[in-house]
Amino acid sequence: MEYDYEKIIKEGSSDLASIKGQRLDQALANIVADEINVVHLLFGGIWYSVHGLVGSEVMGFIRRTEQFQEERINDGSYVGRLPILDQFVGLEVAEVRHIGEAWNGHGFEISFKDVPDKTLILQSIYTGSEPKEFNDCMRIGAGNYVYQVSST
């Protein structure tokens, strides 16, 4: 089956730009069978969910009406905090952008005000280097950047 990934990405991430200038108040990951399936982000009282579309070949960024909280679910899955997300809580979004493409690391990179050396990366597991036992899920990264090197 052929998919119009460009259209799916556009429709599935139309809320992305609305977080620019907003402070990240809370970040929770939905874990199922040890895989990260969804990341829920709270900005100014509004929740957004980052999750895979079409089997996680591309990612979506959707405004939600539900409220999320830390919880263990009976089937062994849970929604909870992760240190990789916690480091960005309390920071204001400076920029947000798409990265990658379908089947090649599509996702989102979020830059924060006054943090020039680190970004939050929310990305499809399909990057060309994904673990064989993981599929239809996502990965979370923290980009660390060097922009100045002393010549002494």
Side-chain angles (χ1 to χ4, degrees):
M1 176 176 234
E2 293 280 325
Y3 293 103
D4 184 347
Y5 287 114
E6 188 174 322
K7 180 179 177 186
I8 293 167
I9 289 169
K10 184 177 179 180
E11 290 175 356
S13 61
S14 61
D15 294 318
L16 187 63
S18 66
I19 66 167
K20 187 174 176 182
Q22 298 291 314
R23 186 179 78 129
L24 178 60
D25 297 317
Q26 191 173 7
L28 300 171
N30 184 357
I31 312 297
V32 178
D34 296 333
E35 293 181 347
I36 302 167
N37 282 359
V38 183
V39 171
H40 304 292
L41 304 172
L42 180 64
F43 294 96
I46 300 169
W47 284 100
Y48 297 84
S49 293
V50 180
H51 59 85
L53 302 173
V54 194
S56 293
E57 292 107 30
V58 296
M59 301 302 291
F61 192 100
I62 312 285
R63 182 178 176 159
R64 304 296 294 261
T65 56
E66 301 96 324
Q67 298 295 305
F68 298 96
Q69 62 185 13
E70 291 185 72
E71 66 177 318
R72 287 221 171 263
I73 302 166
N74 289 339
D75 63 3
S77 62
Y78 65 96
V79 176
R81 295 172 49 196
L82 296 176
I84 196 164
L85 292 170
D86 286 347
Q87 65 186 310
F88 298 102
V89 172
L91 301 177
E92 180 184 323
V93 174
E95 290 292 339
V96 60
R97 68 196 63 78
H98 288 268
I99 57 173
E101 58 192 9
W103 288 105
N104 189 17
H106 180 260
F108 311 102
E109 181 180 34
I110 304 172
S111 299
F112 295 90
K113 183 178 179 184
D114 299 323
V115 185
D117 60 349
K118 192 174 287 190
T119 60
L120 173 59
I121 300 169
L122 304 166
Q123 186 176 42
S124 167
I125 194 73
Y126 299 116
T127 60
S129 64
E130 64 275 357
K132 290 183 176 128
E133 62 276 5
F134 287 81
N135 56 57
D136 194 11
C137 61
M138 62 183 291
R139 67 185 194 169
I140 302 168
N144 293 292
Y145 305 95
V146 175
Y147 56 91
Q148 182 178 15
V149 178
S150 175
S151 60
T152 60

